[in-house]
């Protein structure tokens, strides 16, 4: 009786729904159908769609799509919502609903869109396919469940067992596109596919794919395939793999990193590079361990880690160590060296703590690391003579004028192999305060404008070498000290147009070590001992300056030039400083003659130097000039305003006269000038020094003026000029051409002077800063070829007064890029030394965007760093090991 009642209720519900839909059969309104919770109707065994005997994909004897063997349970767990553009046909007898044209079904977390959808409530299935029209096969079914989405030719889905059979599958898992001829979806976690293709190319006709007969896909986790073949442009290659495993998780997972085979150097033999393991430590950090090994015994190891916590901090750390062997043991050319390099960068998010900040930029290691490394072809670093590191912590004390900074720094010269470190340096600053200011901080008179500031700095300084680095010897010569500085100043309006600014400065130095010198009569040398103890000295000076601004305007009545404005800023200053060194001077015998004495102070090797020597009572003169022009617009009838053009950014002269000196009272006159021409594309800077005194035969200054008033002792000229194809585009607007490219390099795109580097440890073989590429389009006819050129000219002149003056440096450097097409780019950088008549370091790099692939070729044609690197591979990190790279490293010199 209960069963009959269920049939009656089911029939009534369908009859009611059919009657309501018959009134508007072609409408696009939304329909909601809710079936009874229990359905006793099951599929017939004779249905060929669900026969297990004819389906080779099935793992069981019985069809897993059929629900005959499933224990009866709720067939419909939620409301089914469906819409269609053209019509919906409901069949109450067969319990089916047919949706046509832009059909859409939503059920629980399932969203299905297709041209035609047939819902069978009797069999608990959905059948979806596209529509054939004049354009072909359109509205292919798009099935979405949760975060997974797939596109197919047709499909049958059982919404009770959540199993499906799919034909012509196309789905995306992470960066991987999967195409399958026939697919069987067992459940939410397992999919079996026949005649499958894998690729990271998003084109309709992929650039490449990996073809296999059968595979197992676990959505969001992995793809496991059997024998597979690499196909390029639909052409099979002889490259086969017996099996393959593709991790598809959206989160990082740990795994092995396949090494690459290297035959690039005959000196170390054959070997393997960049093999290791990747550790996915957490959502915030990872760890990569890589290694190299060669047949001659050379080996290397690298550890790197990246970490990031949103709104707090991010950074990267790497440690490289290499044991390099050259030659054969027992022969004269045998040598062995250990090199290392440590890098660490850390940045704190400004939101983490507005009143304190911690940053780090560390680059230290062996001076010869980049010149001798087995696996680092960073040519830019080989041209750099210094390593610099800095770790900083700063804090601002709220509601006080004080702020603090703690810094650990490192400077290393790779040529001299000297290292200077501060571990640490402490700085405490007090911003200028005005204790005599009026109410509300009003500062009207000189007393109210009187301000004070304070600065304290302490350092622990280490001077060492490469050989003593990271040993106890590096601390034996370490020095420490502190310095306190305070100053006060104000300004007074004088004679209406002048500003009078008196200043006073006080400085106190504390040193925790000092020296003592004694004469060793046995060896006839002076012995210097460094003693530990607290010593201090104090200095002060005072001065006053008088300055004003003078403006001159020269008007013109003809042509577009309307006026030239000259701004002249003269400053005259006076300063006084006593001789503080006299009270600290000591004498030591320096030879067997008892009267042969040498003066020194106990602070001579101090971290902040010794007290100032000699009385200073000097007058300083400074002259600053600026020239500007006002030019009328080209069209006199236009409403445009007159244009201001900078003719001379600055022309400065500085000198001083020491009243207390008994001779050579005038100092050298230093000058500097700078301007920008040709729409700010040409930057010119010129500076030098003029000596008013003559020199003797030994090159020492004597108290006689030059006959020609001044002698040019040195001068430097630099010029920078950048030009690109966009400068000649008549359609450019707001600094962009009609293709939307930025005119010139721009502030955010500085010229690549040294050319791009390919890091062999980067498993994608491309620059780390490279953004995700997009398919570029170009007009094959009348195509533009963007280009850019950056020129740098430098010249230096020096004259010691004895020998004729000569040019010390005279070079012309040039670099730029040429885009042969939107996907072909050639970069170059070189220079010419005019003095020696030879080319300087030169480099060329060629880049080809192959859509889903990337091609790079870097070439240094000549010189000590003559080398090349070649790379072609898939851009996607999922198939980063699908690549071919070849390199010829520079000749390594161990010395």
């Amino acid at each position: 009786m209960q069963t009959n009642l269920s049939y009656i209720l089911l029939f009534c519900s369908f009859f009611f729904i059919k009657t309501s839909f018959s009134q508007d059969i072609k409408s696009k309104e939304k329909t909601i159908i809710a079936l009874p919770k229990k359905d006793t109707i099951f599929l017939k065994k004779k249905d060929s769609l669900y026969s297990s005997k004819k389906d080779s994909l099935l793992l069981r004897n019985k069809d897993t799509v059929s629900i005959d063997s499933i224990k009866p349970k709720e067939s419909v767990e939620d409301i089914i919502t469906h819409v269609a553009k053209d019509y919906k046909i409901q069949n109450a007898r067969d319990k089916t609903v047919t949706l046509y044209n832009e059909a859409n079904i939503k059920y629980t977390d399932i969203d299905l869109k297709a041209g035609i959808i047939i819902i069978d409530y009797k069999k608990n299935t959905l059948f979806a396919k596209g529509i054939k029209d004049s354009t072909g096969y359109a509205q292919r079914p798009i099935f979405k469940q949760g975060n997974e989405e797939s596109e197919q030719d047709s499909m049958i889905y059982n919404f009770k067992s959540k199993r499906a059979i799919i034909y012509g599958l196309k789905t995306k898992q992470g960066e991987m596109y999967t195409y399958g001829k026939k697919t069987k979806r067992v459940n939410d976690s397992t999919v079996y596919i026949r005649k499958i293709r894998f690729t990271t190319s998003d084109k309709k006709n992929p650039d490449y794919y990996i073809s296999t007969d059968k595979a197992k896909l676990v959505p969001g986790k992995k793809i496991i395939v059997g024998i597979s073949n690499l196909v390029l442009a639909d052409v099979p290659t002889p490259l086969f793999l017996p099996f393959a495993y593709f991790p598809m998780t959206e989160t990082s997972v740990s795994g092995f990193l396949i090494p690459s085979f290297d035959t690039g150097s005959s000196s170390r033999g054959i070997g393997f590079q960049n093999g290791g393991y990747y550790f996915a430590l957490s959502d915030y950090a990872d760890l990569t361990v890589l290694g190299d090994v060669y047949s001659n015994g050379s080996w290397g190891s690298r550890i790197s880690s990246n970490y990031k916590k949103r709104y707090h901090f991010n950074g990267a750390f790497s440690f490289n160590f290499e044991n390099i062997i050259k030659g054969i043991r027992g022969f004269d050319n045998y040598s062995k060296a250990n090199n290392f390099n440590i890098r660490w960068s850390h940045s704190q998010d400004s939101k983490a703590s507005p009143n304190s900040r911690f940053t780090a930029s560390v680059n230290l290691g062996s001076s010869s690391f980049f010149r001798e490394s087995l696996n680092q072809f960073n040519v830019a670093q080989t041209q750099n003579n210094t390593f610099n590191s800095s770790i900083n912590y700063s804090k601002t004390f709220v509601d006080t004028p004080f702020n603090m900074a703690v810094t650990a720094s490192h400077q290393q010269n790779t040529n001299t192999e000297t290292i200077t470190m501060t571990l640490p340096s402490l700085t405490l600053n007090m911003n200028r305060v005005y204790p005599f200011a009026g109410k509300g901080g009003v500062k009207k008179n000189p007393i109210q404008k009187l301000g004070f500031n304070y600065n304290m700095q302490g350092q622990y300084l280490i001077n060492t070498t490469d050989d003593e680095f990271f040993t106890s010897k590096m601390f034996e010569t370490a020095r420490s000290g502190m310095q306190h500085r305070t100053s006060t100043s104000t300004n007074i309006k004088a004679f209406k147009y002048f500003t009078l600014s008196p200043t006073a400065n006080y400085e106190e130095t504390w040193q925790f070590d000092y020296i003592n010198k004694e004469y060793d009569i046995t060896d006839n040398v002076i012995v210097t001992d460094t003693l530990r103890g607290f010593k201090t000295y104090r200095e002060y000076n005072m001065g006053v300056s008088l300055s004003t601004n003078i403006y001159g305007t020269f008007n013109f009545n003809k042509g577009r030039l309307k006026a030239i404005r000259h701004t002249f800023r003269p400053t005259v200053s006076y300063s006084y400083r006593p001789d503080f060194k006299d009270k600290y001077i000591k004498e030591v015998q320096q030879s067997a003659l008892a009267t042969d004495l040498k003066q020194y102070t106990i602070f001579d090797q101090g971290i902040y130097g010794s007290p100032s020597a000699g009385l200073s009572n000097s007058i300083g003169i400074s002259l600053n000039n600026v020239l500007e022009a006002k030019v009328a617009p080209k069209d006199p009838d236009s409403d445009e305003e007159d244009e201001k053009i900078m003719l001379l950014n600055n022309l400065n002269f500085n000198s001083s006269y020491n009243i207390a000196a008994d001779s050579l009272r005038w100092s050298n006159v230093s000058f500097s000038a700078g301007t920008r021409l040709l729409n700010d594309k040409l930057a010119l800077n010129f500076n030098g020094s003029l000596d008013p005194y003559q020199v003797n035969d030994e090159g020492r200054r004597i108290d006689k003026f030059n006959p020609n008033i001044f002698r040019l002792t040195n001068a430097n000229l630099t010029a920078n000029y950048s030009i690109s194809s966009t400068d000649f585009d008549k359609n450019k607007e707001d600094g962009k051409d009609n293709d939307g490219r930025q005119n010139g390099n721009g502030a955010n795109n500085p010229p690549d002077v040294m050319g791009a580097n390919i890091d062999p440890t980067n498993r994608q073989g491309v620059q780390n800063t490279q953004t995700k590429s997009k398919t570029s389009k170009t007009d094959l006819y009348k195509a533009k070829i963007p280009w850019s050129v950056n020129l740098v000219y430098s010249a230096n002149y020096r004259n010691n007064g004895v020998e004729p003056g000569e040019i010390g440096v005279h070079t012309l450097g040039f670099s730029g890029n040429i885009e042969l097409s939107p996907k072909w780019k050639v970069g170059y950088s070189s220079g010419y030394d005019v003095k020696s008549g030879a080319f300087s370091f030169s480099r060329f790099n060629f880049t080809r965007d192959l859509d889903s692939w990337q091609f790079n070729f870097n070439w240094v044609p000549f010189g000590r760093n003559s080398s090349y690197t070649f790379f072609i591979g898939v851009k996607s990190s999922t198939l980063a090991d699908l690549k071919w790279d070849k390199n010829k490293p520079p000749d390594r010199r161990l010395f």
Side-chain angles (χ1 to χ4, degrees), residues 17-28:
I17 294 170
K18 183 176 181 181
T19 304
S20 62
F21 279 109
S22 63
Q23 298 176 1
D24 187 9
I25 201 167
K26 294 186 178 181
S27 65
K28 194 184 175 182

Side-chain angles (χ1 to χ4, degrees), residues 314-351:
N314 65 84
F317 173 83
S318 67
F319 173 72
N320 296 351
F321 181 85
E322 295 181 350
N323 178 50
I324 306 174
I325 297 175
K326 184 178 180 181
I328 302 175
R329 189 184 298 273
F331 287 81
D332 294 337
N333 64 343
Y334 177 81
S335 61
K336 181 178 179 180
N338 292 330
N339 288 330
F340 73 94
N341 181 259
I342 300 174
R343 288 192 174 191
W344 177 35
S345 63
H346 179 91
S347 178
Q348 177 180 308
D349 196 300
S350 58
K351 304 180 186 66

Side-chain angles (χ1 to χ4, degrees), residues 421-475:
M421 304 178 70
T422 57
L423 298 175
S425 172
L426 172 65
T427 302
L428 179 65
N429 288 305
M430 183 187 75
N431 297 329
R432 186 171 293 275
V433 295
Y434 299 89
F436 307 110
K439 292 183 178 181
V442 175
K443 297 182 283 291
K444 293 183 178 180
N445 55 56
I447 299 298
Q448 292 178 337
K449 295 178 181 179
L450 191 64
F452 297 85
N453 67 351
Y454 168 77
N455 171 269
M456 185 272 288
Q457 184 179 24
Q459 286 188 11
Y460 183 76
L461 183 66
I462 298 174
N463 289 309
T464 185
T465 62
D466 262 20
D467 295 334
E468 297 179 356
F469 197 36
F470 285 139
T471 66
S472 59
K473 291 184 178 180
M474 65 183 287
F475 299 100

